[in-house]
Amino acid sequence: QVQLAESGGGSVQAGGSLNLSCVASEFPYGAYGYCMAWFRQAPGKEREGVAAIRGDTTTYYADSVKGRFTISQDKFENTLYLQMNSLKPEDTAIYYCAAARRERKFAPCLGYEYNNWGRGAQVTVSS
């Protein structure tokens, strides 16, 4: 089981920026490497994938955050990041870090089945 711990959440005004971090006990390598991702869940809504990254640095983004959010990783520090710029009130949610062994070569990481989750970090954007 991979342990994940998010940090960096907070409250900002619309247009502001935040940088989330997720320290992992390991990046879980499968037959095709791993998937690491950020999800979010707003009150009364289902959890949705925001951004994901593979071990070969291929990235995936939800349409709602393209051009504003950037996912990155530090393999030496086992840390995942999410730089969030031009934040909007609709970005308000609890943000979760997730990890999975990549066992299916052609499955995109944003829609992958994740079985390791952090406890989440609250992000609040006011108008």
Side-chain angles (χ1 to χ4, degrees):
Q1 191 75 1
V2 178
Q3 305 300 315
L4 301 167
E6 303 95 338
S7 62
S11 298
V12 295
Q13 290 191 326
S17 298
L18 283 173
N19 189 27
L20 299 180
S21 299
C22 171
V23 178
S25 57
E26 63 174 304
F27 281 0
Y29 284 84
Y32 299 100
Y34 58 80
C35 288
M36 298 289 293
W38 290 97
F39 286 75
R40 67 185 180 188
Q41 187 166 21
K45 294 188 177 182
E46 292 187 356
R47 187 166 55 192
E48 63 171 345
V50 174
I53 190 167
R54 297 182 346 195
D56 64 1
T57 71
T58 299
T59 56
Y60 307 82
Y61 294 95
D63 289 342
S64 59
V65 305
K66 280 181 183 176
R68 300 188 298 122
F69 291 11
T70 302
I71 190 171
S72 62
Q73 61 188 339
D74 184 331
K75 294 182 181 181
F76 297 102
E77 298 293 335
N78 288 342
T79 302
L80 183 72
Y81 300 99
L82 185 68
Q83 177 65 43
M84 303 183 292
N85 298 327
S86 302
L87 282 161
K88 304 175 181 180
E90 51 264 43
D91 294 318
T92 295
I94 299 175
Y95 284 71
Y96 298 92
C97 176
R101 303 182 193 281
R102 188 163 165 255
E103 304 291 0
R104 294 187 289 124
K105 185 176 181 180
F106 300 107
C109 280
L110 198 55
Y112 211 81
E113 301 87 9
Y114 288 87
N115 56 353
N116 298 283
W117 296 88
R119 293 186 176 183
Q122 177 69 48
V123 171
T124 303
V125 185
S126 58
S127 57

